[in-house]
Amino acid sequence: MKHEFGRFGGQYVPEVVISALNEVEVAFNEAIVDPVFKKEYLYYMKDFVGRPSTLYYAENLTNRLGGAKIYLKREDLNHTGAHKINNTIGQILLAKRMGKKKIIAETGAGQHGVATATAAAMFNMECEIFMGKEDTERQRLNVFRMELLGAKVTAVTRGTQTLSDAVDEAIEQWVDRIEDTFYIIGSVVGPHPYPTMVREFQKIIGEEAIKQILEKENRLPDYCIACVGGGSNAIGLFAEFIPHKEVQLIGVEGAGKGLDTDMHAATMTLGSEGVLHGMNTIMIQDEDGNPKPVYSISAGLDYPGIGPEHAHYKDIGRIQYKAVTDEEAVKAFLLMSQVEGIIPAIESSHAIAYALKFIPTLPKDQVVILNVSGRGDKDVEAIEEYIKNNNLNLVQK
Ligand SMILES: *Cc1c(COP(=O)(O)O)cnc(C)c1O
């Protein structure tokens, strides 16, 4: 089997799924080099999503930390409040080009489901979202948000009734409906060509960032830092910088309640090689190779695997991976809100938390780009509760 990323990636799926994947791969390879497709994608990125997102010099945070200059890539300013919409619009344009009439997707906490339902509403496509039953109960508001946007949400009752099971269900449903249906995956995960395709639709983040930093600083950054769940916002920022060896790239995952507990989602720090959701990658697994339940305060980082391209870059040492705990992320969430007037997503707060520890050690003439993958309005209630239950100070200033 061909693997796109060193020994990682591949298509570990039943034979019936391979032909569906081949159809997507052929269409994608044609579309991505077609100037008409590119133009259409860029039109929606600009006029619907609101791109380019700004690269903002975080002067207050820079002064406070006393180290490198910090620039924030503001994916939180996109329509729907995060980077996920870049990918769902790209894939739905491909679906349209292939003549598909219906969209299906999996979702964990509901963020990818909402981004998919948004794109489906705009393109007037029928949309069904598969979501673990337990997740539908934990994230009732996102279920309603998807329904409000016109999508059907189907609760998945198999297995642990969470994200992993929703992925399995979506793949099975896709095979049955392949004639008229396109499956939109939410991160740089799954069988080929999805990890490549999602990267291509997210790399606009880094393409903009490299232009913006050259305008502002007339040089490349020394570091780029982003949080990693499946890894799409991180690869989106990093892709353009990969060939520039002098730029160091750091992905930050969820250490949950601590690396010495069972309550974490630190795939790169504590996981091992295995097959998950159709790809060979690094994952948190039991002795039989099944994904183990993972935990993070951040729903978007709560995934037992990671994109195979990340596994490869870890292997060859091109990207470093760090983990920060719930508590560190919550403190970063508060600090960014209070120092910069920007409420970041709790996912993004993991990248910020690592930056808080790391940046004070850097010389002042260095430059860091920090990806703010989304806005934190969705997290405000959970943060309030966390502060109460853990006797944290609200004021971090
Ligand atoms: C879903 C999500 C993430 C994690 O997904 P990646 O594919 O790792 O980017 C991070 N930040 C936000 C705001 C998200 O919604």
Side-chain angles (χ1 to χ4, degrees):
M1 189 186 306
K2 182 176 157 278
H3 294 85
E4 312 79 69
F5 313 111
R7 62 180 196 279
F8 299 104
Q11 295 180 322
Y12 294 81
V13 290
E15 198 57 43
V16 283
V17 186
I18 299 269
S19 63
L21 292 170
N22 287 346
E23 192 192 333
V24 173
E25 183 177 3
V26 169
F28 170 70
N29 287 343
E30 281 172 14
I32 204 69
V33 294
D34 179 352
V36 176
F37 182 81
K38 178 94 189 199
K39 198 173 157 198
E40 206 182 4
Y41 167 77
L42 288 175
Y43 166 76
Y44 288 106
M45 287 300 108
K46 179 168 173 283
D47 283 16
F48 188 69
V49 177
R51 305 200 71 91
S53 67
T54 61
L55 185 73
Y56 176 67
Y57 173 43
E59 190 173 0
N60 297 337
L61 191 63
T62 299
N63 290 340
R64 184 185 165 103
L65 298 185
K69 268 178 114 165
I70 304 163
Y71 283 88
L72 306 177
K73 184 58 176 158
R74 299 286 311 276
E75 291 300 298
D76 59 310
L77 296 178
N78 296 340
H79 175 47
T80 68
H83 67 292
K84 285 197 172 72
I85 191 84
N86 304 330
N87 169 49
T88 57
I89 289 192
Q91 287 195 52
I92 213 163
L93 283 171
L94 184 64
K96 242 182 36 150
R97 186 183 164 104
M98 293 170 73
K100 305 291 181 189
K101 299 279 180 283
K102 299 178 183 172
I103 297 300
I104 58 169
E106 83 294 340
T107 197
Q111 287 149 243
H112 173 55
V114 169
T116 302
T118 300
M122 198 254 288
F123 285 104
N124 193 23
M125 302 255 276
E126 203 178 305
C127 178
E128 181 172 358
I129 307 291
F130 295 93
M131 188 171 187
K133 184 161 177 289
E134 190 169 318
D135 289 334
T136 61
E137 286 157 11
R138 284 191 292 206
Q139 306 283 346
R140 288 176 52 96
L141 203 58
N142 270 344
V143 173
F144 178 67
R145 200 168 274 140
M146 288 181 263
E147 289 171 348
L148 172 68
L149 289 159
K152 177 180 171 198
V153 179
T154 299
V156 175
T157 52
R158 64 208 268 168
T160 56
Q161 310 193 347
T162 57
L163 175 60
S164 268
D165 312 295
V167 175
D168 292 336
E169 180 74 21
I171 293 178
E172 279 177 29
Q173 292 285 336
W174 186 36
V175 172
D176 287 345
R177 309 181 193 181
I178 187 72
E179 280 302 291
D180 63 352
T181 301
F182 189 95
Y183 175 27
I184 299 188
I185 292 187
S187 189
V188 284
V189 298
H192 180 71
Y194 281 95
T196 300
M197 187 159 71
V198 176
R199 179 198 66 215
E200 290 301 304
F201 292 137
Q202 288 293 359
K203 76 176 190 190
I204 191 168
I205 302 172
E207 288 170 347
E208 289 172 3
I210 210 164
K211 266 193 233 149
Q212 290 166 321
I213 201 71
L214 288 175
E215 265 169 36
K216 287 175 193 283
E217 291 287 332
N218 201 25
R219 77 202 268 297
L220 291 176
D222 299 283
Y223 296 89
C224 292
I225 306 177
C227 66
V228 284
S232 69
N233 86 89
I235 276 292
L237 175 63
F238 296 167
E240 205 63 16
F241 293 98
I242 291 277
H244 301 280
K245 293 276 156 41
E246 68 275 28
V247 182
Q248 299 201 49
L249 308 172
I250 302 173
V252 185
E253 54 188 11
K257 299 193 186 213
L259 296 174
D260 53 351
T261 71
D262 266 350
M263 304 281 279
H264 65 78
T267 311
M268 288 302 209
T269 312
L270 296 173
S272 54
E273 190 169 339
V275 169
L276 172 72
H277 298 145
M279 58 183 165
N280 187 46
T281 189
I282 295 175
M283 62 186 281
I284 307 279
Q285 57 188 317
D286 63 19
E287 302 83 55
D288 301 324
N290 297 312
K292 277 213 283 195
V294 289
Y295 162 83
S296 164
I297 187 173
S298 149
L301 303 187
D302 200 348
Y303 181 63
I306 189 161
E309 191 167 8
H310 283 282
H312 173 61
Y313 285 134
K314 175 176 193 273
D315 211 36
I316 63 170
R318 181 63 188 96
I319 304 179
Q320 286 176 274
Y321 295 86
K322 309 284 179 184
V324 309
T325 63
D326 287 356
E327 181 168 333
E328 291 170 319
V330 170
K331 285 182 174 166
F333 179 102
L334 299 174
L335 188 76
M336 182 63 92
S337 302
Q338 291 159 22
V339 171
E340 288 293 351
I342 295 167
I343 301 178
I346 187 64
E347 290 82 7
S348 323
S349 301
H350 284 69
I352 299 162
Y354 181 70
L356 296 181
K357 293 198 271 193
F358 173 62
I359 288 178
T361 68
L362 298 177
K364 281 187 196 304
D365 63 349
Q366 294 210 327
V367 172
V368 175
I369 295 179
L370 198 51
N371 208 20
V372 183
S373 53
R375 66 174 179 232
D377 306 54
K378 67 183 177 56
D379 301 310
V380 166
E381 264 184 89
I383 297 291
E384 184 188 25
E385 200 157 308
Y386 187 94
I387 292 173
K388 256 196 249 150
N389 295 342
N390 294 275
N391 292 320
L392 271 192
N393 267 337
L394 172 61
V395 179
Q396 293 286 319
K397 236 174 164 166

